[in-house]
Amino acid sequence: MSGMTIFIVLVCIIALLFLFINLIFAPHNPYQEKLSAFECGFHSFLQTRFPFNITFYIYGLLFLLFDLEIFLVFPYAVSSFNNDIYGLSVLLIFFFIVTLGFIFELGKGALNIYTKQNSNILQKKGSFTNISLLN
C-alpha cells in the first residue's frame, strides 16, 4: 500500500470517528425556537420564501465557467516552459472563444440585474449619465 492510500484511509477513519463522537456526546434538545426560521430577531408575519431572480443563477453559472477556465489554463501555466508556439496558440484560441461568449452575454444584457434602483433610473432618462449607466 502506498503512502497516499494510507493517508486517504486514515483521513476517512478520523472524519467518521469525529462524526460518531459528535453524535454520541453532543446534546440533542430541539425546541420550537431552535427549529424555527430566524428572521432578524422576530417571527415573520408573511411567507418569507420568495423565488430568486434567474439572474443570480446566471451569475453563479458564469462564476463556475470562469473558475473552470482557470482550472483548464493551470496545466499550461505549470508547463509553459515545455510548450511551444502550438500550446500558446491553443490557449489563445481557448481564451478567444470564452471571451466571445462573455461579450455575447454582455451584449444580450444577461448580466443586468433590474432592481428598484435601476427602474428609477429608467424613469428619469433626463441626463446623459443616467442613460450611460444602463448600457
Side-chain angles (χ1 to χ4, degrees):
M1 227 179 344
S2 69
M4 190 63 164
T5 307
I6 294 172
F7 178 72
I8 291 172
V9 170
L10 189 66
V11 166
C12 291
I13 290 172
I14 291 173
L16 290 174
L17 180 71
F18 284 158
L19 285 172
F20 183 71
I21 290 172
N22 186 25
L23 287 174
I24 291 174
F25 293 116
H28 300 286
N29 52 357
Y31 52 92
Q32 185 178 3
E33 289 294 322
K34 192 180 243 185
L35 295 176
S36 66
F38 181 71
E39 275 302 315
C40 301
F42 62 88
H43 295 287
S44 60
F45 301 109
L46 301 173
Q47 176 65 275
T48 57
R49 296 181 181 180
F50 296 111
F52 284 107
N53 191 351
I54 191 68
T55 313
F56 294 113
Y57 294 111
I58 292 173
Y59 272 99
L61 286 173
L62 281 177
F63 176 77
L64 182 66
L65 174 75
F66 288 114
D67 197 32
L68 288 175
E69 176 190 358
I70 292 171
F71 179 72
L72 292 173
V73 170
F74 183 73
Y76 176 79
V78 170
S79 64
S80 61
F81 57 91
N82 290 335
N83 294 328
D84 292 333
I85 193 71
Y86 175 74
L88 179 64
S89 63
V90 168
L91 182 73
L92 289 177
I93 290 170
F94 175 71
F95 273 136
F96 181 72
I97 292 171
V98 171
T99 304
L100 280 179
F102 185 65
I103 290 171
F104 177 75
E105 287 181 357
L106 284 177
K108 286 289 189 178
L111 301 178
N112 294 337
I113 296 179
Y114 296 105
T115 61
K116 292 178 184 177
Q117 189 176 24
N118 288 346
S119 65
N120 290 339
I121 293 172
L122 281 173
Q123 291 172 357
K124 290 180 184 176
K125 284 189 185 178
S127 65
F128 180 73
T129 56
N130 289 339
I131 295 172
S132 66
L133 287 175
L134 296 175
N135 294 333

